[in-house]
Short mmCIF file of all heavy atoms in Angstrom, two decimals:
data_model
loop_
_atom_site.label_atom_id
_atom_site.label_comp_id
_atom_site.label_asym_id
_atom_site.label_seq_id
_atom_site.Cartn_x
_atom_site.Cartn_y
_atom_site.Cartn_z
N ARG O 66 0.83 -1.22 -0.04
CA ARG O 66 -0.01 -0.01 0.00
C ARG O 66 0.86 1.23 -0.02
O ARG O 66 0.56 2.22 -0.73
CB ARG O 66 -0.90 -0.03 1.20
CG ARG O 66 -1.95 1.11 1.25
CD ARG O 66 -2.91 0.89 2.33
NE ARG O 66 -3.93 1.99 2.32
CZ ARG O 66 -4.91 2.04 3.16
NH1 ARG O 66 -5.16 1.01 4.04
NH2 ARG O 66 -5.77 3.01 3.14
N LEU O 67 1.95 1.24 0.84
CA LEU O 67 2.80 2.39 0.86
C LEU O 67 3.45 2.65 -0.48
O LEU O 67 3.51 3.74 -1.04
CB LEU O 67 3.84 2.21 1.92
CG LEU O 67 4.91 3.37 2.03
CD1 LEU O 67 4.26 4.75 2.32
CD2 LEU O 67 5.95 3.05 3.04
N ARG O 68 3.98 1.62 -1.11
CA ARG O 68 4.61 1.71 -2.42
C ARG O 68 3.63 2.27 -3.41
O ARG O 68 3.96 3.12 -4.26
CB ARG O 68 5.15 0.41 -2.89
CG ARG O 68 6.47 0.02 -2.21
CD ARG O 68 7.10 -1.27 -2.86
NE ARG O 68 6.25 -2.35 -2.76
CZ ARG O 68 6.56 -3.54 -2.25
NH1 ARG O 68 7.75 -3.71 -1.69
NH2 ARG O 68 5.73 -4.55 -2.19
N GLY O 69 2.36 1.75 -3.36
CA GLY O 69 1.35 2.28 -4.30
C GLY O 69 1.04 3.79 -4.10
O GLY O 69 1.02 4.49 -5.11
N GLU O 70 1.03 4.21 -2.89
CA GLU O 70 0.80 5.64 -2.61
C GLU O 70 2.02 6.44 -3.06
O GLU O 70 1.85 7.56 -3.64
CB GLU O 70 0.55 5.86 -1.16
CG GLU O 70 -0.80 5.35 -0.70
CD GLU O 70 -1.20 5.56 0.74
OE1 GLU O 70 -0.63 6.49 1.33
OE2 GLU O 70 -2.02 4.82 1.25
N LEU O 71 3.21 5.99 -2.84
CA LEU O 71 4.40 6.68 -3.27
C LEU O 71 4.49 6.77 -4.80
O LEU O 71 4.88 7.79 -5.40
CB LEU O 71 5.65 6.00 -2.73
CG LEU O 71 5.86 5.95 -1.21
CD1 LEU O 71 7.10 5.22 -0.82
CD2 LEU O 71 5.85 7.40 -0.63
N GLU O 72 4.10 5.68 -5.49
CA GLU O 72 4.11 5.65 -6.93
C GLU O 72 3.03 6.65 -7.49
O GLU O 72 3.35 7.37 -8.52
CB GLU O 72 3.75 4.24 -7.48
CG GLU O 72 4.96 3.33 -7.27
CD GLU O 72 4.61 1.85 -7.52
OE1 GLU O 72 3.43 1.57 -7.88
OE2 GLU O 72 5.53 1.00 -7.39
N THR O 73 1.90 6.73 -6.88
CA THR O 73 0.86 7.76 -7.26
C THR O 73 1.44 9.20 -7.14
O THR O 73 1.24 10.00 -8.08
CB THR O 73 -0.40 7.51 -6.42
OG1 THR O 73 -0.89 6.19 -6.64
CG2 THR O 73 -1.42 8.55 -6.77
N TRP O 74 2.09 9.45 -6.04
CA TRP O 74 2.69 10.80 -5.85
C TRP O 74 3.74 11.03 -6.92
O TRP O 74 3.83 12.16 -7.45
CB TRP O 74 3.26 10.96 -4.45
CG TRP O 74 2.33 11.51 -3.47
CD1 TRP O 74 1.30 10.91 -2.75
CD2 TRP O 74 2.15 12.92 -3.20
NE1 TRP O 74 0.62 11.78 -2.02
CE2 TRP O 74 1.14 13.03 -2.29
CE3 TRP O 74 2.85 14.02 -3.64
CZ2 TRP O 74 0.72 14.27 -1.77
CZ3 TRP O 74 2.47 15.24 -3.14
CH2 TRP O 74 1.37 15.36 -2.20
N LYS O 75 4.57 10.08 -7.14
CA LYS O 75 5.66 10.24 -8.11
C LYS O 75 5.12 10.58 -9.50
O LYS O 75 5.58 11.46 -10.14
CB LYS O 75 6.62 9.07 -8.17
CG LYS O 75 7.81 9.39 -9.08
CD LYS O 75 8.83 8.23 -9.05
CE LYS O 75 9.93 8.48 -10.05
NZ LYS O 75 9.53 8.92 -11.38
N ARG O 76 4.11 9.79 -9.90
CA ARG O 76 3.48 10.03 -11.16
C ARG O 76 2.88 11.47 -11.22
O ARG O 76 3.01 12.20 -12.23
CB ARG O 76 2.34 9.05 -11.50
CG ARG O 76 2.91 7.73 -12.05
CD ARG O 76 1.82 6.86 -12.62
NE ARG O 76 0.73 6.58 -11.66
CZ ARG O 76 0.70 5.63 -10.77
NH1 ARG O 76 1.75 4.83 -10.65
NH2 ARG O 76 -0.28 5.46 -9.95
N ALA O 77 2.16 11.90 -10.19
CA ALA O 77 1.63 13.22 -10.13
C ALA O 77 2.72 14.28 -10.24
O ALA O 77 2.51 15.29 -10.99
CB ALA O 77 0.77 13.44 -8.88
N LEU O 78 3.80 14.16 -9.52
CA LEU O 78 4.86 15.08 -9.61
C LEU O 78 5.54 15.04 -10.95
O LEU O 78 6.03 16.09 -11.48
CB LEU O 78 5.90 14.88 -8.44
CG LEU O 78 5.36 15.23 -7.11
CD1 LEU O 78 6.40 14.84 -6.00
CD2 LEU O 78 4.95 16.66 -6.95
N ASP O 79 5.67 13.87 -11.57
CA ASP O 79 6.33 13.79 -12.89
C ASP O 79 5.55 14.54 -13.90
O ASP O 79 6.12 15.03 -14.89
CB ASP O 79 6.45 12.32 -13.30
CG ASP O 79 7.54 11.61 -12.59
OD1 ASP O 79 8.43 12.19 -11.98
OD2 ASP O 79 7.60 10.34 -12.68
N GLN O 80 4.23 14.61 -13.74
CA GLN O 80 3.35 15.29 -14.70
C GLN O 80 3.29 16.82 -14.51
O GLN O 80 2.68 17.51 -15.29
CB GLN O 80 1.91 14.69 -14.65
CG GLN O 80 1.90 13.27 -15.13
CD GLN O 80 0.56 12.65 -14.88
OE1 GLN O 80 -0.35 13.18 -14.43
NE2 GLN O 80 0.48 11.30 -15.19
N SER O 81 3.85 17.27 -13.43
CA SER O 81 3.75 18.71 -13.06
C SER O 81 5.12 19.30 -13.10
O SER O 81 6.05 18.82 -12.56
CB SER O 81 3.14 18.87 -11.68
OG SER O 81 3.14 20.23 -11.38
N LEU O 82 5.19 20.53 -13.72
CA LEU O 82 6.50 21.25 -13.71
C LEU O 82 6.58 22.13 -12.49
O LEU O 82 7.67 22.61 -12.14
CB LEU O 82 6.59 22.03 -14.99
CG LEU O 82 6.66 21.22 -16.24
CD1 LEU O 82 6.72 22.15 -17.48
CD2 LEU O 82 7.85 20.29 -16.25
N SER O 83 5.43 22.40 -11.85
CA SER O 83 5.47 23.21 -10.61
C SER O 83 5.37 22.38 -9.39
O SER O 83 5.52 21.14 -9.50
CB SER O 83 4.30 24.24 -10.69
OG SER O 83 3.12 23.51 -10.63
N SER O 84 5.20 23.02 -8.25
CA SER O 84 5.03 22.25 -7.04
C SER O 84 3.56 22.33 -6.59
O SER O 84 3.23 23.19 -5.75
CB SER O 84 5.90 22.76 -5.94
OG SER O 84 7.24 22.49 -6.18
N PRO O 85 2.69 21.48 -7.15
CA PRO O 85 1.29 21.64 -6.77
C PRO O 85 1.05 21.21 -5.33
O PRO O 85 1.76 20.40 -4.80
CB PRO O 85 0.55 20.64 -7.75
CG PRO O 85 1.63 19.64 -8.02
CD PRO O 85 2.92 20.42 -8.04
N ARG O 86 0.04 21.83 -4.76
CA ARG O 86 -0.31 21.43 -3.37
C ARG O 86 -1.11 20.18 -3.47
O ARG O 86 -1.72 19.89 -4.51
CB ARG O 86 -1.18 22.54 -2.72
CG ARG O 86 -0.59 23.92 -2.69
CD ARG O 86 0.74 24.22 -1.99
NE ARG O 86 1.36 23.25 -1.11
CZ ARG O 86 2.65 23.01 -1.09
NH1 ARG O 86 3.45 23.58 -1.90
NH2 ARG O 86 3.17 22.17 -0.20
N PRO O 87 -1.14 19.37 -2.40
CA PRO O 87 -1.87 18.07 -2.42
C PRO O 87 -3.31 18.24 -2.93
O PRO O 87 -3.76 17.40 -3.73
CB PRO O 87 -1.77 17.57 -1.01
CG PRO O 87 -0.55 18.25 -0.41
CD PRO O 87 -0.45 19.54 -1.16
N ALA O 88 -4.03 19.20 -2.48
CA ALA O 88 -5.38 19.40 -2.88
C ALA O 88 -5.51 19.61 -4.38
O ALA O 88 -6.49 19.24 -5.00
CB ALA O 88 -6.03 20.55 -2.08
N GLU O 89 -4.53 20.32 -4.97
CA GLU O 89 -4.54 20.63 -6.37
C GLU O 89 -4.40 19.36 -7.26
O GLU O 89 -4.87 19.37 -8.33
CB GLU O 89 -3.44 21.64 -6.75
CG GLU O 89 -3.63 22.98 -6.11
CD GLU O 89 -2.40 23.87 -6.33
OE1 GLU O 89 -1.48 23.49 -7.07
OE2 GLU O 89 -2.34 24.96 -5.66
#
């Protein structure tokens, strides 16, 4: 579960050039 959550975050950050807030 932890790896899945970390992978989700990594994908989200990979798709963003800025530093989006979690809610964004």
